Amino acid sequence: MGPDFVDGTGALIVYTADAAKVDICFIHGLNGGRISTWKKGDVFWPYNLLPKDIKEARVITWGYDADIAHFLAPLSANRVKDHAKNLLTALRGVRDTPETSDRPIIFVTHSLGGIVCAQSLLPYASMESEETQQIAKNTFGLAFMSTPFAGSETAEWARFFERLFAGSQFSVWLNSAKQSEDSIKNIRAMFFYEEMPTVAAGLVVSPNSSRINGWPSLALHDNHAGICKFDNFEDPKYKQVLPILKKWVDELKPYHGKETSHYGDTIVSGKNYGGSQTGDDLSQGKMVRNQNTFVSSNGHEFQVRSHADGKSRLSTLKIKTTDN
C-alpha cells in the first residue's frame, strides 16, 4: 500500500503532485474509515492507483467519527452539521497558502460521506470565515457513491438520513451551482449506484435513492461496501470512475496553471502585463491573481474574473503575443 496510512480523524494528505492543479478529497461513509473505505486487500486506490493516472492532483482523505450508534442517537442531526463544519475547517487547514487557497476541489464520497459533503455545501455550512466559504465556492466536481439522498427500503440509517436531509434543498443548490459565478466553472456531478445486493440486506441504497433528477448516474457492479474499493488498474469499476475524474481535471487545465505573480489593474497581451512583477509569458499557460482579480490562460486566450462592489465579472480575451 505504500506508507503506513491509518484510519483516524481529520484531513490526511496522501499524495501531492509537483504542480497540483486540483485537490481530490475522499470522504468515507457510515462505519467506514478514511483509509479502509477505499482499500481492497493491500491496495489503497487514492494512493496506489489514482496518482499514476491523474498526475495533476493533490489527494486528500478525510476521516470523522462515523459510528452508526452515534448517528442514530438523539441530536444526530446536529452531528451531521457538526461534521460538515469540521470538514470545511479541516480543508481550510490544508488549503491555507496562496497556491492552495483557491485551488479547485473534487469530492469523492461514499454513502453517508455524501450527505456530510452535501451539508457542507449548503449553504456553506460554516459561515465563520471567508476562507471557509471559499472551499465550498471552489468545489468543481462531486462524485457520490451510493449516497442515500432518498433513503433506503432496507437500511434504517438511510431512512433516518432521508428524513434529516429532505429539507436541505441540496438539489436546488446543485442546479444553481451549474451557472453560479461562485463556482470556477459549471459544477460537475456524477451519481454512482450499487448494482449488487448486500447479503441479507439487498440493495442498501437503490438507484433512485442514489441520484438526483437531472444529473447523470452510473451503475457500478458491486454491493454497497464494495462499490468504492478497487485493487488494480483493470478493475472494471475503477475503469468506470477514472475517466470521469480525468475528464473533470482535464476541463480545469485551461483555467488553472502555475501561479506566477500578483499584479495590478492593467493587463496587456503577451509578455507585457501591468503589476508589481512582470516577465512571465502569459501565452504559455499561466495564472496570476491578486485579492480582487483572477487571471488564467491556456496559451490561446485568458480569462479575467474581477470582484468589486459585491459583483463578479468574467471576461475572455484572445492572446496576441508581442515581439518585444
Side-chain angles (χ1 to χ4, degrees), residues 18 39 71 103 152 157 183 200 210 234 249 251 271 286:
D18 290 337
K39 184 181 177 184
F71 277 93
R103 183 181 290 164
S152 168
W157 64 267
S183 299
S210 300
E234 298 304 315
V249 173
E251 288 169 345
K271 292 186 178 181
K286 304 289 186 180

Side-chain angles (χ1 to χ4, degrees), residues 52-304:
K52 295 178 175 62
D53 286 315
I54 298 180
K55 304 181 188 304
E56 307 96 333
R58 180 173 66 161
V59 181
I60 304 166
T61 185
W62 179 70
Y64 61 104
D65 179 5
D67 189 317
I68 188 171
H70 296 164
F71 277 93
L72 297 182
L75 303 179
S76 53
N78 289 337
R79 185 173 293 275
V80 171
K81 294 178 182 178
D82 287 343
H83 283 319
K85 291 180 181 180
N86 291 340
L87 167 63
L88 293 180
T89 300
L91 289 179
R92 181 182 63 184
V94 296
R95 292 168 54 87
D96 59 351
T97 67
E99 294 78 17
T100 60
S101 61
D102 287 328
R103 183 181 290 164
I105 309 173
I106 293 172
F107 287 102
V108 180
T109 74
H110 177 240
S111 192
L112 171 66
I115 298 292
V116 173
C117 176
Q119 182 68 52
S120 75
L121 299 173
L122 183 75
Y124 310 148
S126 174
M127 304 297 286
E128 299 168 358
S129 68
E130 182 179 349
E131 292 83 2
T132 302
Q133 296 175 48
Q134 195 67 22
I135 293 168
K137 293 178 181 180
N138 281 327
T139 298
F140 183 80
L142 297 164
F144 295 105
M145 296 182 174
S146 285
T147 294
F149 289 106
S152 168
E153 295 181 359
T154 60
E156 175 61 30
W157 64 267
R159 290 195 293 272
F160 172 81
F161 284 111
E162 178 197 10
R163 296 191 295 271
L164 168 67
F165 204 62
S168 71
Q169 298 297 307
F170 176 66
S171 61
V172 175
W173 177 86
L174 188 60
N175 289 326
S176 66
K178 279 184 176 181
Q179 304 298 331
S180 172
E181 289 191 347
D182 286 341
S183 299
I184 299 164
K185 201 170 182 287
N186 295 352
I187 198 165
R188 276 77 168 147
M190 175 61 74
F191 296 80
F192 298 97
Y193 58 92
E194 61 206 61
E195 200 171 44
M196 295 179 63
T198 297
V199 176
L203 292 177
V204 175
V205 183
S206 70
N208 286 337
S209 179
S210 300
R211 55 197 179 200
I212 291 178
N213 289 339
W215 291 84
S217 60
L218 186 64
L220 297 180
H221 191 64
D222 213 324
N223 61 25
H224 186 72
I227 192 174
C228 54
K229 300 177 187 293
F230 320 133
D231 62 358
N232 63 78
F233 293 105
E234 298 304 315
D235 185 308
K237 302 191 304 293
Y238 181 69
K239 293 176 75 171
Q240 288 178 276
V241 173
L242 176 65
I244 293 167
L245 299 180
K246 282 181 64 72
K247 181 175 184 293
W248 292 349
V249 173
D250 288 343
E251 288 169 345
L252 280 169
K253 288 180 180 178
Y255 298 90
H256 291 269
K258 179 181 177 183
E259 186 171 71
T260 55
S261 70
H262 295 278
Y263 64 99
D265 298 322
T266 304
I267 299 173
V268 181
S269 60
K271 292 186 178 181
N272 302 310
Y273 55 94
S276 58
Q277 299 180 35
T278 60
D280 288 309
D281 189 345
L282 198 58
S283 67
Q284 299 303 308
K286 304 289 186 180
M287 179 178 75
V288 293
R289 68 167 183 253
N290 66 9
Q291 185 176 3
N292 298 313
T293 313
F294 171 86
V295 181
S296 56
S297 164
N298 62 5
H300 305 290
E301 63 183 23
F302 60 86
Q303 293 200 341
V304 183

Side-chain angles (χ1 to χ4, degrees), residues 12-24:
L12 176 66
I13 299 172
V14 300
Y15 176 80
T16 302
D18 290 337
K21 302 178 186 298
V22 61
D23 283 343
I24 301 180

